[in-house]
Amino acid sequence: MVKHLLTLKDYSGDWINNVIAKAIELKSNSAKYGDILKNKTLIMLFEKASTRTRCSFEAGMTQLGGHAIFLDWETTQLKKASLKDEIRCIEKYSDVIMARVFKHETLMEMAKYMEKPLINALSDLYHPCQTVSDLMTIKEKKGKLNGLKLAYVGDGNNVCNSLIVGCKKVGMKIAVATPKGYEPKEKPDLLTQDPKEAVKDADIVYTDTWVSMGQEDEAEKRKKIFYPYQINKELMKLAKKDALFMHCLPAYRGCEVTDDVIDSKQSVVFEQAENRMHAQKAVILKLLGKI
Ligand code: CP
Ligand code: NVA
């Protein structure tokens, strides 16, 4: 049966650890895998904007000797035609497909018609590729995952949901602080409205935008509600001394994080962005049965 990656819930901690180990190897020894996907094509479907996801998947396919095709809803028939018909055609040209969509149900609908692996490149509910890359970054920096504590402070969104699933699978503790009414769908080890409680003794402090794509109309209201959840120097002091600061990017400086935190030595945001490429290469190889 074809394997899709729509959420990490469908995979074990061993599977995630294995992908991370492979991603670390791919990063240090990319020449060895330079033609493993020769003549293979990834089709990338974007219903909303992206910098990192688009570039990292496309560059990743180049590094593996394959090819990637970018499609969006505006310049294809996807906007107006039957999704089912379009997907059944797109699948004929590709070996693996990834899609960034507004509604998670769109991915579930696509998966019904696909006999090739489908990868979630972000939906309203989950961002699994981000989490795998983030766990890879933590593993590189801390040498382990099991037993570490990650504190997520901010909106209980797609990034937060995938972190909860991923951290729990690999034996990490995850504490989440959100304002009332903005809790994640998934259940963390600790859910609180108090950022200080979440961050206490954390090995990693993580945040994301307060206004995700599609929520632009709520921007002003959200900024007021979320302001007490900003990651700043004072809050970082409550975490462990050697705590990492993480953010999936794009970051809105002065909102969810201050300059002195995102630009500090503790910040690993650009390593996270780089690791998207290596982690996704490992995910593609795994789903195609190449590793
Ligand atoms: N982190 C992430 O997915 O970034 P993009 O929206 O730029 O792809
Ligand atoms: N939560 C953000 C993540 C962007 C990578 C969004 O959905 O817009």
Side-chain angles (χ1 to χ4, degrees):
M1 213 180 87
V2 62
K3 287 266 183 204
H4 301 303
L5 173 56
L6 303 191
T7 144
L8 289 172
K9 288 205 277 195
D10 301 332
Y11 292 91
S12 65
D14 280 351
W15 188 91
I16 297 171
N17 279 317
N18 194 269
V19 166
I20 292 168
K22 202 72 203 175
I24 292 172
E25 190 201 334
L26 285 161
K27 185 174 177 178
S28 66
N29 197 358
S30 81
K32 187 175 156 195
Y33 297 90
D35 60 6
I36 192 168
L37 291 188
K38 190 163 178 251
N39 295 331
K40 301 280 183 216
T41 299
L42 164 72
I43 295 193
M44 312 192 294
L45 306 174
F46 282 90
E47 200 178 11
K48 47 190 178 184
S50 167
T51 304
R52 280 146 289 272
T53 304
R54 177 181 175 177
C55 294
S56 58
F57 267 102
E58 189 162 340
M61 282 303 286
T62 304
Q63 291 185 4
L64 297 173
H67 179 67
I69 299 175
F70 170 84
L71 298 177
D72 65 21
W73 259 242
E74 294 302 317
T75 57
T76 60
Q77 311 290 10
L78 279 161
K79 196 175 176 182
K80 49 184 197 238
S82 141
L83 182 67
K84 181 177 174 177
D85 292 345
E86 296 307 286
I87 288 304
R88 289 175 74 184
C89 296
I90 285 167
E91 183 179 53
K92 303 275 183 234
Y93 313 124
S94 61
D95 300 282
V96 51
I97 297 135
M98 64 84 120
R100 168 168 286 196
V101 296
F102 281 103
K103 287 191 171 21
H104 194 76
E105 297 93 78
T106 307
L107 286 174
M108 287 160 63
E109 180 73 8
M110 286 178 177
K112 278 197 229 159
Y113 317 121
M114 283 194 186
E115 284 162 21
K116 310 269 172 65
L118 173 64
I119 300 171
N120 178 0
L122 184 139
S123 67
D124 54 346
L125 294 184
Y126 297 104
H127 199 0
C129 295
Q130 182 70 53
T131 293
V132 176
S133 319
D134 295 339
L135 294 175
M136 173 189 175
T137 308
I138 296 168
K139 174 85 196 225
E140 283 181 326
K141 296 284 171 191
K142 297 279 179 195
K144 63 173 188 176
L145 296 172
N146 190 31
L148 296 178
K149 175 184 173 181
L150 185 146
Y152 178 97
V153 177
D155 189 17
N157 61 15
N158 39 18
V159 169
C160 179
N161 280 325
S162 282
L163 278 170
I164 294 170
V165 176
C167 286
K168 288 172 84 167
K169 294 247 180 198
V170 298
M172 287 172 62
K173 292 269 163 278
I174 176 158
V176 172
T178 66
K180 194 168 160 34
Y182 294 89
E183 294 85 2
K185 178 180 157 73
E186 299 297 334
K187 202 174 167 313
D189 296 298
L190 169 75
L191 181 62
T192 174
Q193 289 170 26
D194 180 1
K196 292 182 181 149
E197 189 187 7
V199 167
K200 191 169 178 298
D201 295 328
D203 297 283
I204 300 109
V205 179
Y206 201 120
T207 191
D208 182 20
T209 181
W210 296 334
V211 186
S212 284
M213 288 180 273
Q215 297 172 336
E216 289 79 5
D217 290 352
E218 300 170 36
E220 287 319 306
K221 176 182 150 202
R222 282 176 165 265
K223 278 184 199 164
K224 281 187 199 120
I225 292 172
F226 281 99
Y227 194 71
Y229 293 79
Q230 182 186 68
I231 310 289
N232 50 38
K233 270 253 142 87
E234 288 310 302
L235 193 62
M236 280 304 287
K237 276 185 199 152
L238 303 177
K240 285 195 182 146
K241 252 201 166 114
D242 61 351
L244 304 176
F245 169 75
M246 297 183 80
H247 192 309
C248 59
L249 301 181
Y252 298 89
R253 289 163 175 258
C255 290
E256 73 270 11
V257 60
T258 53
D259 283 334
D260 54 8
V261 171
I262 195 168
D263 294 329
S264 71
K265 286 208 178 102
Q266 286 169 278
S267 172
V268 293
V269 298
F270 299 111
E271 286 94 328
Q272 285 176 261
E274 179 187 349
N275 283 341
R276 294 291 304 277
M277 186 166 63
H278 305 295
Q280 289 156 191
K281 287 190 292 188
V283 166
I284 292 171
L285 292 178
K286 193 90 178 154
L287 294 178
L288 289 178
K290 297 274 184 190
I291 53 172

